[in-house]
Amino acid sequence: MRLREDEVVRPDGGSGIYGVVEVANPAVFVVALTDDDEVVLVHLYRYTTGRWSIEVPAGSTDGEDALVAARRELAEETGLEAAEWIRVGGMSSLNGICDAPEHVFLARGLRPVGGGAAATRATQEEEGIADVRRVPFGEVLAMIGRGEIVDAETMAAMLHVAVHLGRVR
Amino acid sequence: MRLREDEVVRPDGGSGIYGVVEVANPAVFVVALTDDDEVVLVHLYRYTTGRWSIEVPAGSTDGEDALVAARRELAEETGLEAAEWIRVGGMSSLNGICDAPEHVFLARGLRPVGGGAAATRATQEEEGIADVRRVPFGEVLAMIGRGEIVDAETMAAMLHVAVHLGRVR
């Protein structure tokens, strides 16, 4: 990421400095749904906030196609691959200070990545992932309501999927 | 905001630099719901992304109580006050790079702020708000599905409210 400071003219005509955090590459977020309506979540330590966090698998595109990145992040963080991938939407986080484009995918038809358990464990350790959980969709919503999930992108990704599946009205 | 660069030891034992964007004060997001199940949205230009965006009213707490900030942002951005305020949850955005705590409020029992129309127009101009819209809750969801709303915090705030009201399963 990069912090850019622009000299700007404000809407009221005054001049000022506008700081923009540029996120180098779009990020991807994956709502992986099992045949039993469970969401696959990762439990990891977030250095930035100093807290443990429960989130959907996610990562940066590193410049490649968003779907390629989504497949890689799901495999690396959870050891799973999916038969069905749907891009359910895009979003932009903290757009008052950041330029951070994001893609949300729904992944279904899950199965373990062939022969990838050791690689998965290595990546999980690198990324600080303590464990992977399968949580019923309704229980994920309850965890959000109880404040046990606080990651805003996980919430936004869940809403995208709920809209796509007609589960919110 | 402030960009901090820490020397860290990574989970794999290597050393590195971890950049953290510190957002000075928590932010507040307000889902203001009319008696006719409409959500009050603002339409504003986002300098960071270079795009127009449709969002729930929001802003920084400037260090005061979150509810005080939520009342002020709703009044300043939309000219409305609310009889009922519920803090439906908290969240944290872009927690891979930012420490940005946020509060989400549901505001109901809406009415125009007494004698505040001129002040509201001045603030709207300062903040680049072109107009204020009342959009049925279900239509807000459809706009998210169609990619007409891309603000991630608006989505997360809508999910918090949908969970609170039992509208998602």
Side-chain angles (χ1 to χ4, degrees):
Chain A
M1 64 172 163
R2 201 170 76 96
L3 178 60
R4 195 183 84 215
E5 295 192 328
D6 296 351
E7 289 181 32
V8 295
V9 178
R10 293 196 300 257
D12 66 5
S15 64
I17 299 289
Y18 204 122
V20 180
V21 178
E22 295 178 344
V23 176
N25 292 308
V28 293
F29 297 84
V30 180
V31 178
L33 202 57
T34 72
D35 295 344
D36 297 325
D37 200 38
E38 298 160 318
V39 180
V40 181
L41 299 173
V42 296
H43 185 211
L44 77 171
Y45 183 74
R46 284 299 187 182
Y47 177 80
T48 46
T49 59
R51 292 189 185 173
W52 287 87
S53 182
I54 300 170
E55 308 179 4
V56 296
S60 170
T61 56
D62 300 338
E64 87 279 65
D65 181 74
L67 177 56
V68 173
R71 284 181 190 276
R72 187 193 58 234
E73 293 298 332
L74 181 65
E76 287 185 349
E77 297 194 356
T78 72
L80 296 170
E81 58 186 16
E84 183 195 12
W85 286 90
I86 300 169
R87 182 187 179 280
V88 289
M91 56 194 189
S92 186
S93 277
L94 277 181
N95 67 5
I97 58 170
C98 292
D99 184 10
E102 298 163 327
H103 302 274
V104 179
F105 289 90
L106 169 61
R108 290 186 289 201
L110 305 175
R111 56 180 178 254
V113 175
T120 298
R121 279 196 299 277
T123 307
Q124 287 173 339
E125 193 161 319
E126 260 177 46
E127 301 201 359
I129 295 172
D131 61 274
V132 176
R133 303 167 183 200
R134 296 179 180 216
V135 181
F137 196 94
E139 176 61 14
V140 176
L141 300 173
M143 291 172 76
I144 290 168
R146 293 194 301 265
E148 294 165 21
I149 291 175
V150 297
D151 176 48
E153 284 76 27
T154 291
M155 295 175 200
M158 285 290 292
L159 182 61
H160 257 310
V161 167
V163 168
H164 179 80
L165 298 176
R167 297 174 73 148
V168 55
R169 60 188 167 77
Chain B
M1 64 173 165
R2 200 170 77 95
L3 178 60
R4 196 182 84 214
E5 294 192 328
D6 296 350
E7 288 182 34
V8 297
V9 177
R10 293 196 300 256
D12 66 4
S15 64
I17 300 288
Y18 204 122
V20 179
V21 178
E22 295 177 345
V23 176
N25 292 308
V28 293
F29 297 83
V30 181
V31 178
L33 203 56
T34 71
D35 295 343
D36 296 326
D37 200 38
E38 298 160 318
V39 181
V40 181
L41 300 172
V42 295
H43 185 212
L44 77 171
Y45 182 74
R46 286 298 187 182
Y47 178 79
T48 46
T49 59
R51 291 187 187 176
W52 286 87
S53 182
I54 299 170
E55 308 179 4
V56 296
S60 171
T61 57
D62 300 339
E64 86 278 64
D65 181 73
L67 177 55
V68 173
R71 285 180 190 277
R72 187 193 58 234
E73 293 297 334
L74 181 64
E76 288 186 348
E77 296 194 353
T78 72
L80 296 171
E81 59 186 15
E84 183 194 12
W85 285 90
I86 301 169
R87 182 187 178 280
V88 290
M91 57 192 190
S92 186
S93 278
L94 276 181
N95 68 3
I97 58 170
C98 291
D99 184 9
E102 299 163 326
H103 302 274
V104 178
F105 290 90
L106 169 61
R108 288 185 290 200
L110 305 176
R111 57 181 177 253
V113 175
T120 297
R121 279 195 299 276
T123 307
Q124 287 173 339
E125 193 161 319
E126 258 177 48
E127 301 200 359
I129 294 172
D131 61 275
V132 177
R133 303 167 183 200
R134 298 180 178 214
V135 180
F137 195 95
E139 176 61 13
V140 176
L141 301 173
M143 290 170 76
I144 290 168
R146 292 194 300 264
E148 294 165 20
I149 291 176
V150 298
D151 176 48
E153 285 75 28
T154 291
M155 293 175 200
M158 285 289 293
L159 183 62
H160 257 309
V161 167
V163 168
H164 179 82
L165 298 177
R167 297 174 72 147
V168 55
R169 58 188 169 77

